[in-house]
Amino acid sequence: MGAMRSVLFLALARLGLFLAAFAVLTVLPLEMDIFLRALIAMAVSMLLSVFLLRKARRDVSETLVDSIDRRRAAKAKAAEK
């Protein structure tokens, strides 16, 4: 999976979790302000993403670490010249 593709997937998955939680809270007949529903949806989606998106977060992290290592190696090689 490419770097941008994995980052984009993670961002869209987090957005999808938020929208799903917000939709559920919107459908429920609760007397709550829309901003309170949004805050609760953010908290719920954050907790769900910790468990459901663990592999995606690990993939993004590994991709970023690899990219940083390649840049450092290239920079060190350029400094040797």
Side-chain angles (χ1 to χ4, degrees):
M1 202 182 272
M4 282 304 290
R5 185 176 175 192
S6 60
V7 171
L8 184 61
F9 172 78
L10 182 61
L12 291 176
R14 284 182 172 172
L15 180 63
L17 283 174
F18 168 73
L19 291 175
F22 187 70
V24 168
L25 287 172
T26 302
V27 171
L28 292 176
L30 301 172
E31 294 294 325
M32 270 194 266
D33 188 35
I34 192 81
F35 295 111
L36 183 57
R37 289 177 197 237
L39 286 174
I40 293 171
M42 279 188 237
V44 168
S45 66
M46 181 178 56
L47 288 173
L48 287 174
S49 73
V50 168
F51 299 106
L52 299 177
L53 301 177
R54 180 173 292 150
K55 184 182 181 311
R57 272 195 330 274
R58 189 184 64 229
D59 291 345
V60 169
S61 175
E62 289 173 357
T63 301
L64 291 176
V65 167
D66 290 343
S67 174
I68 290 170
D69 288 344
R70 279 195 312 270
R71 287 181 185 179
R72 283 184 182 161
K75 197 177 211 181
K77 189 176 182 180
E80 289 177 359
K81 291 183 179 182

